């Protein structure tokens, strides 16, 4: 079976760079999508309590028969659960729903002003207790990470942010690379909105790939992780079939140049 490329995080934990995001898939559809993804070869699944499908992710993992140690499960602490004790409680709930006894990567979902420091300390506690293998944040721009030194000496291992050619955050990427924080792209396919951009056409023709495959390859060629969502087995396979080609440096730069600060989700700066 084809294996996705891996990256060693700052604490030595190995993480697959391509995973399945499961936002906006529910009930049986979520279970089926995760099971299909695992059959195809995906090993990283990104969920969150907000997505209301941790139970289905847990069910699919069990049904897959794949050893837990081969999987990389990410979940997050929701905004309303942030705070030290409440994060620890939310973590236990996620664990129960996912039917597992550890999480590979536990993240702060959004940098909520009043509670992000205490929540981070709770994540560090979970790391110390070996209940999580790695800790991360999501939607953290440079000022949020800079601020962390005031309350913790532990940097996140991963920062999950919206990141596409149309939202090419070079400064944030360079900042994370310099600190050995792995950037992970969410909504990498712009939920389909930008896939018809005519400027992708020549690369699609050259490599005989779809726009989605070109964009996901651009993520990997930047050395970052990416977690496209799909509930279709065909598109799950399509999104996974990107390990046998590479963009040139010029082509990567050409795609970087599509930046227009286009966002699907809220700009986290409003939370600073
Ligand atoms: N931390 C955060 O705040 C945050 C925010 C947003 C997202 N995320 C994470 O990132 C994951 C991915 O982001 P997302 O779900 O927002 O959007 P996305 O992955 O950019 O796009 C998903 C959409 O694209 C379609 N699609 C998938 N593969 C395709 C392909 N090959 N060709 C054409 N269309 C395709 C899917 O439809 P089908 O399902 O019909 O294939 C779905 O409508 C989420 O699931 C979640 O895990 C995190």
């Amino acid at each position: 079976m084809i294996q996705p490329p891996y990256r060693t995080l700052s604490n030595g934990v190995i993480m697959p760079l391509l995973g399945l995001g499961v936002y906006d898939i529910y009930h049986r559809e979520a279970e089926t999508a995760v099971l299909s993804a695992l059959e195809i070869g995906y090993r990283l699944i990104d969920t969150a309590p907000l997505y209301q499908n941790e139970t289905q992710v847990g069910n699919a993992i069990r049904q897959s028969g794949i050893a837990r140690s081969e999987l990389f499960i990410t979940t997050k602490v929701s905004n309303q659960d942030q705070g030290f004790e409440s994060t620890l409680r939310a973590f236990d709930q996620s664990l129960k729903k996912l039917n597992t006894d550890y999480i590979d990567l536990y993240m702060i979902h959004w940098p909520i002003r009043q509670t992000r420091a205490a929540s981070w300390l709770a994540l560090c506690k979970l790391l110390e207790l070996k209940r999580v293998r790695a800790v991360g944040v999501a939607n953290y721009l440079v000022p949020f990470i800079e601020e962390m030194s005031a309350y913790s000496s532990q940097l996140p291992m991963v920062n999950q942010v919206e990141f596409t050619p149309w939202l090419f955050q070079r400064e944030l990427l360079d900042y994370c690379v310099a600190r050995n924080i792995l950037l992970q792209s969410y909504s990498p396919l712009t939920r389909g909105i930008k896939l018809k951009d005519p400027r992708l056409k020549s690369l699609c023709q050259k490599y005989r790939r779809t726009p989605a495959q070109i964009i996901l390859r651009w993520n990997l060629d930047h050395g970052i992780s990416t977690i496209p969502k799909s509930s279709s087995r065909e598109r799950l396979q399509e999104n996974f079939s990107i390990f046998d080609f590479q963009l040139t440096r010029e082509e990567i730069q050409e795609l970087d140049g599509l930046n227009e600060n286009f966002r699907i989700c809220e700009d986290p700066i409003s939370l600073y």
Side-chain angles (χ1 to χ4, degrees), residues 23 46 139 160 187 189 191 229-231 235 238-239:
Y23 172 65
D46 179 82
N139 296 297
Q160 183 185 101
S187 305
L189 304 176
R191 296 194 182 152
K229 171 258 170 183
S230 182
S231 49
R235 284 189 288 278
E238 177 184 328
N239 297 344

